[in-house]
Amino acid sequence: MVGDNNLHDIRACVFDAYGTLFDFNAPLAARRARIGPAADRLSAVWRQKQIDYTWLRSLMGKYADFWQVTGEALDYALAVCEVDDPALRAELMQLYLALDAFPDARPCLEALKGRRMRTAVLSNGTATMLTAAVNANTLTPLLDRVLSVDACGTFKPHPSVYQLAVDELDAQPAQVCFVSANGWDAAGAAAFGFRAVWINRAGAPVETLPFPPVAEIRGLDELAGLLPSQPEE
């Protein structure tokens, strides 16, 4: 645990999508035999460049949606790994539309809905990408909102992105528990005023920024134990 774990007045729980609810390594895992030894490196470079390009485009004021950014990042990763296979590229992009949810995602969301907690996804992904992933894992009944940064034309961790959840859920920032497996995203949410919970699946050190999460957990199965049994009205 880190920070001040005070989550008794939470009215809504907002989740990041990629790496938090959905496994972004799934496309490469599905094509590992075809790609060979470069699969792990390709997956890691793809993900890192995907994040890098969102930050760079935000700083440059040159927004492009996450589908385009994901494709650009994949092109870079394929070049780094010296993989020249247009058909594979097309397959990996399509697989990204139907990412597997982590095994603990559904039980977590079911537990929160059982407590009448409002739930949402807030992601860099486009509405099309997010809807596809949610539908592929039949999570639609467990989510009150699916929110894309397309609505504000910039990426996390810009404060305007987190404001989307406040506006849609009609809650004050301190009444929102924001859950992310990305340490930088948890820090951005905490800086905005959310009660951020960081899912540290990899056992990484906490980001050395002055915006710590209120709690650190190893999986979504630990989240319900931190939250009130029923949200305050």
Side-chain angles (χ1 to χ4, degrees):
M1 298 290 181
V2 293
D4 175 20
N5 180 15
N6 180 5
L7 296 168
H8 69 275
D9 56 351
I10 294 300
R11 296 179 57 190
C13 201
V14 178
F15 295 84
D16 170 56
Y18 302 114
T20 302
L21 293 177
F22 305 113
D23 184 1
F24 53 72
N25 289 310
L28 273 297
R31 294 295 182 270
R32 179 176 297 277
R34 178 173 170 183
I35 298 167
D40 288 339
R41 186 184 184 202
L42 179 56
S43 187
V45 174
W46 186 10
R47 175 58 175 173
Q48 188 57 56
K49 278 298 170 181
Q50 186 188 50
I51 295 171
D52 289 349
Y53 287 170
T54 64
W55 294 340
L56 288 169
R57 282 186 171 277
S58 293
L59 288 168
M60 294 171 183
K62 300 294 184 182
Y63 182 77
D65 71 33
F66 199 60
W67 183 251
Q68 179 175 331
V69 169
T70 298
E72 292 169 345
L74 177 56
D75 289 337
Y76 180 90
L78 289 168
V80 166
C81 295
E82 299 181 334
V83 176
D84 183 9
D85 188 337
L88 174 64
R89 182 199 188 276
E91 290 174 23
L92 292 175
M93 288 296 289
Q94 286 305 305
L95 286 167
Y96 211 92
L97 289 175
L99 295 178
D100 295 334
F102 286 104
D104 52 7
R106 174 178 293 279
C108 174
L109 292 171
E110 288 176 339
L112 296 182
K113 294 309 291 182
R115 300 180 184 188
R116 297 193 297 172
M117 181 74 69
R118 284 179 291 171
T119 58
V121 168
L122 176 62
S123 172
N124 281 338
T126 68
T128 298
M129 294 171 72
L130 295 171
T131 298
V134 168
N135 288 345
N137 292 279
T138 61
L139 298 179
T140 304
L142 302 176
L143 294 165
D144 296 302
R145 297 284 190 279
V146 177
L147 306 174
S148 166
V149 300
D150 283 348
C152 54
T154 192
F155 293 105
K156 296 176 183 178
H158 195 278
S160 64
V161 174
Y162 303 111
Q163 184 66 40
L164 287 174
V166 170
D167 294 341
E168 287 290 329
L169 296 170
D170 190 26
Q172 296 300 311
Q175 296 173 319
V176 174
C177 174
F178 183 83
V179 185
S180 181
N182 300 293
W184 58 268
D185 188 18
F192 177 76
F194 285 159
R195 310 292 286 174
V197 173
W198 176 38
I199 306 175
N200 186 8
R201 289 196 175 93
V206 68
E207 297 288 349
T208 53
L209 290 167
F211 318 109
V214 297
E216 174 184 335
I217 57 179
R218 293 303 296 267
L220 287 166
D221 57 324
E222 299 177 26
L223 180 64
L226 302 177
L227 298 172
S229 57
Q230 187 166 313
E232 295 182 359
E233 298 296 334

